[in-house]
Amino acid sequence: MSATPQKNRAPRRVLAAAAGLATVGALVSAMPAGAQDRGHGHGHHKPARTVDVQLLSFNDLHGNLEPPAGSGAGTVTETQADGTTKAIPAGGVEYLASSLRTARKGHPYSITAAGGDMVGASPLLSGLFHDEPTIEALNKIDLDVTTVGNHEFDEGATELARLQNGGCHPVEGCYEKGKKFEGADFPYLAANVTSEKTGRPILKPYTVWKKNGVKIGFIGVTLEGTPNIVTANGVKGLKFHDEIETINKYAKELDRQGVKSIVALIHEGGAPASTSYNYDCDSSGAGDGISGPITDIAKGITPKVDALVTGHTHQAYVCTIPDPAGNPRMVTSASSFGKLYTDTTLTYDRRTKDIVRTSVKSAGASNPKSANHIVSRDQRRARDMTDLIARWNALAAPIANKPQGYITADIDGRSSTAPEKPLGNLIADAQLEGLAPADKGGAVVALMNPGGIRGDLVYASADGKSDGVVTYGESFTVQPFTNMMNVVDLTGAQLITALQQQVSGSNEAGPKILQVSKGLTYTLDMTKTGAARVVTDTIKLNGAAIDPAKTYRVAMNEFLAGGGDGFAALGQGTNKLVGASDLDLFNAYLAAHSTAAAPLAPPATDRITVIQ
């Protein structure tokens, strides 16, 4: 999702200020030997004309090794036979591993692929250790290939190279005595990410999976707009290219090599008409189907590509979108956080070396060719994943379990679909309070981007003994990027423009409503279009109208201060003062405003009046 991908700066660790491209050479060669040849199962009989290849896929894991907490983050919506919907708990790598291993049984030809954002914006269990635990888990799950997502660039290209190639962290070293991080034993693909210096892809653009003469090529791309949603340091020295042009270029190259069966892994996605995982995306009713960037991308990708595994939007869908030749082609996405996996049957023709294409539900077939499945928490846990989580939790415990504050009830952030989120208000208030003193920046208002809120504060504790306690691990899960805060001068006119940019320009189709600190109020009229949605004469700060000519000290994280998420006006700030990290300010606010005897209640959401 559009987010605040930044450099993690958790306690006990300091990262280099700019990752840069010191090891771009390492990236170019960063592919484990033999990864593309790994198959599951064995076959010795004489090959038939066609063979069914199982493609298992998922996306946007974001280092969620443990089941995601919170009402929205840890469930999937299922439509029942009577049309009602039900929220079903799902996710966690103990269950994802079991689901994938069960699904592979009876399938001698099985490939497991991912659509990017395997790491980044991760809970503390993974984020504290620069996502080494997640890479280790994916190795054990037998992931065959993944594309990069925008979050793979959170800590820059050099750190991405280390995740692929292995080696201990350059600043913090090895986390376990006598153990060196081995890196990913599957290839990360980045066909549309090139080095500005060399013009070459920083990682392999594609890989070919082979077994018993069956060859399937995988091309991996991230969204071209990655630099708009990652800090400048994360993408320093890199260039991001058009997804369609890049995929078409490498599909032609694979075709010339005799690889006729091709799957594109694309870290960009769409929005189905229903949020239910079992929604029939090929329904022909009014308003049915899918919208968003992936629809145009799918329509432009060469017919040489047989299926698209997508991600980024954290949505669940299995759709048929015709290719430019008018033939059916499957486009899939499996929600996020390991809550779903997609099972797709690719029928490989040994004579043509190509996939026999059908729609999701072929005529006369009793089973769909592709479907999403819940990673249920009712099944047996994978023992090796339970052991892995326990091992890393023991290392994280001294930091993770430290109480930061106390709450009376859930404070929703990520799971809230409202423009103004209770947790967003809490975060913005914490930023304002911490940066209001003259020697800390003199801020009069604070702005928080919604994509940077990565979780909820949940009242119930896993052990049932510490309900209402907010631990460091929980606050880290909410704000895992540990962004440095900035306070800048903005004119009233620039501040008004920034509010208009929430719902106009690149954000018109998918508004990004900034979370605002107490004292800033205005009306949002969503019956209008573009910038007119912000009713300018209602914008007030502490009851006084914003003066376009006046200068205001505004607090925001470094991502927003760089103009990220389409907020060019926020990038025009002057007289910048760099403050503490957003996480430090958040924890300080919790400590100052709550005790076990007097916990903090969810703040009211009365700052933005929305007309629908």
Side-chain angles (χ1 to χ4, degrees):
M1 299 286 285
S2 177
T4 326
Q6 302 296 341
K7 306 165 289 300
N8 286 335
R9 298 187 189 85
R12 306 193 307 166
R13 65 174 197 238
V14 180
L15 285 182
L21 280 171
T23 60
V24 151
L27 275 164
V28 173
S29 61
M31 181 192 166
Q36 73 274 32
D37 294 323
R38 187 169 62 217
H40 304 286
H42 303 278
H44 301 288
H45 56 81
K46 185 180 178 183
R49 165 74 187 264
T50 62
V51 58
D52 281 347
V53 178
Q54 179 187 56
L55 175 61
L56 302 175
S57 56
F58 57 98
N59 50 277
D60 295 276
L61 181 63
H62 290 288
N64 279 264
L65 301 178
E66 296 175 295
S71 56
T75 61
V76 293
T77 302
E78 180 179 69
T79 298
Q80 308 299 299
D82 62 0
T84 60
T85 59
K86 180 180 177 183
I88 299 177
V93 294
E94 293 164 293
Y95 305 106
L96 178 62
S98 290
S99 289
L100 294 174
R101 288 165 183 168
T102 300
R104 287 178 191 138
K105 289 176 181 175
H107 294 274
Y109 294 84
S110 184
I111 311 167
T112 304
D117 276 7
M118 293 295 97
V119 301
S122 305
L124 184 125
L125 177 59
S126 187
L128 187 65
F129 305 107
H130 297 277
D131 284 310
E132 290 182 21
T134 297
I135 298 297
E136 182 184 341
L138 292 171
N139 287 344
K140 290 178 182 293
I141 281 175
D142 281 338
L143 182 63
D144 288 300
V145 59
T146 185
T147 186
V148 293
N150 52 289
H151 281 280
E152 265 79 18
F153 296 93
D154 283 357
E155 296 186 41
T158 304
E159 176 62 5
L160 175 55
R162 189 182 75 87
L163 290 180
Q164 177 75 92
N165 295 331
C168 297
H169 193 269
V171 174
E172 294 172 39
C174 300
Y175 294 111
E176 296 177 287
K177 191 174 181 181
K179 274 193 176 183
K180 178 188 167 189
F181 175 56
E182 297 296 330
D185 66 9
F186 51 88
Y188 258 113
L189 304 180
N192 68 331
V193 187
T194 59
S195 161
E196 286 181 349
K197 286 184 181 176
T198 67
R200 295 198 302 271
I202 61 163
L203 288 164
K204 287 192 73 77
Y206 59 81
T207 189
V208 180
W209 183 93
K210 303 173 185 175
K211 183 173 182 188
N212 296 341
V214 174
K215 293 191 291 187
I216 299 179
F218 288 85
I219 303 167
V221 298
T222 186
L223 69 154
E224 185 182 7
T226 290
N228 301 327
I229 51 176
V230 175
T231 46
N233 277 337
V235 294
K236 189 175 181 181
L238 304 178
K239 194 168 181 186
F240 292 77
H241 302 270
D242 180 85
E243 304 94 337
I244 298 172
E245 291 175 9
T246 303
I247 291 169
N248 289 353
K249 170 187 171 183
Y250 288 110
K252 192 180 288 185
E253 191 170 308
L254 282 167
D255 185 65
R256 281 200 301 266
Q257 294 173 15
V259 179
K260 307 295 183 183
S261 298
I262 302 171
V263 175
L265 308 176
I266 309 172
H267 192 69
E268 179 60 292
S274 165
T275 56
S276 292
Y277 87 93
N278 56 340
Y279 164 65
D280 181 359
C281 198
D282 287 351
S283 298
S284 56
D288 274 333
I290 186 171
S291 58
I294 199 61
T295 57
D296 287 336
I297 291 172
K299 289 171 185 173
I301 289 175
T302 172
K304 293 182 191 298
V305 175
D306 299 294
L308 314 181
V309 171
T310 72
H312 188 55
T313 58
H314 290 203
Q315 301 296 307
Y317 49 84
V318 176
C319 303
T320 306
I321 300 177
D323 69 16
N327 296 318
R329 182 163 59 191
M330 280 178 275
V331 180
T332 71
S333 174
S335 184
S336 62
F337 304 160
K339 294 184 290 187
L340 297 175
Y341 71 92
T342 314
D343 190 335
T344 301
T345 300
L346 301 174
T347 301
Y348 182 91
D349 187 321
R350 288 184 180 276
R351 192 174 301 168
T352 64
K353 300 181 182 177
D354 207 348
I355 299 299
V356 180
R357 289 241 229 112
T358 62
S359 59
V360 170
K361 290 183 176 175
S362 6
S366 56
N367 297 313
K369 299 286 280 187
S370 183
N372 276 323
H373 301 275
I374 297 178
V375 175
S376 164
R377 294 187 207 161
D378 293 337
Q379 63 188 308
R380 186 189 297 271
R381 302 180 189 195
R383 179 63 186 270
D384 57 341
M385 293 298 156
T386 304
D387 293 345
L388 180 149
I389 289 169
R391 205 179 87 236
W392 287 103
N393 262 332
L395 290 173
I399 293 175
N401 297 334
K402 189 175 179 184
Q404 303 299 311
Y406 304 85
I407 56 176
T408 64
D410 289 359
I411 304 181
D412 289 344
R414 190 70 175 180
S415 67
S416 170
T417 56
E420 182 184 350
K421 308 171 193 305
L423 188 50
N425 287 356
L426 183 63
I427 290 169
D429 287 351
Q431 294 175 353
L432 176 60
E433 181 170 296
L435 300 171
D439 62 335
K440 302 293 185 185
V444 296
V445 65
L447 305 173
M448 174 65 190
N449 57 309
I453 305 169
R454 304 304 296 191
D456 303 328
L457 286 184
V458 181
Y459 178 81
S461 61
D463 59 9
K465 299 174 185 175
S466 50
D467 289 356
V469 178
V470 179
T471 64
Y472 183 85
E474 290 168 332
S475 61
F476 183 97
T477 295
V478 168
Q479 296 206 101
F481 304 114
T482 352
N483 283 307
M484 301 313 290
M485 292 299 299
N486 290 183
V487 185
V488 300
D489 281 350
L490 287 176
T491 64
Q494 289 170 325
L495 188 53
I496 291 168
T497 299
L499 293 177
Q500 291 171 330
Q501 287 171 343
Q502 301 175 107
V503 289
S504 63
S506 61
N507 292 332
E508 178 156 10
K512 293 188 175 75
I513 307 303
L514 296 166
Q515 307 298 287
V516 300
S517 56
K518 58 186 175 187
L520 184 66
T521 56
Y522 69 96
T523 297
L524 198 57
D525 187 349
M526 297 306 289
T527 66
K528 297 182 179 176
T529 57
R533 290 168 164 172
V534 176
V535 185
T536 52
D537 60 8
T538 65
I539 305 173
K540 293 180 180 178
L541 183 59
N542 301 319
I546 294 288
D547 181 349
K550 188 178 172 182
T551 296
Y552 298 84
R553 292 291 284 167
V554 184
M556 66 193 87
N557 59 47
E558 58 188 324
F559 171 68
L560 280 178
D565 264 355
F567 292 100
L570 298 182
Q572 296 167 357
T574 57
N575 297 324
K576 178 170 75 172
L577 181 143
V578 178
S581 76
D582 54 5
L583 183 60
D584 286 346
L585 292 181
F586 187 53
N587 285 333
Y589 187 88
L590 290 172
H593 292 271
S594 68
T595 63
L600 191 69
T605 50
D606 54 6
R607 301 169 191 182
I608 306 171
T609 301
V610 182
I611 301 171
Q612 296 284 10

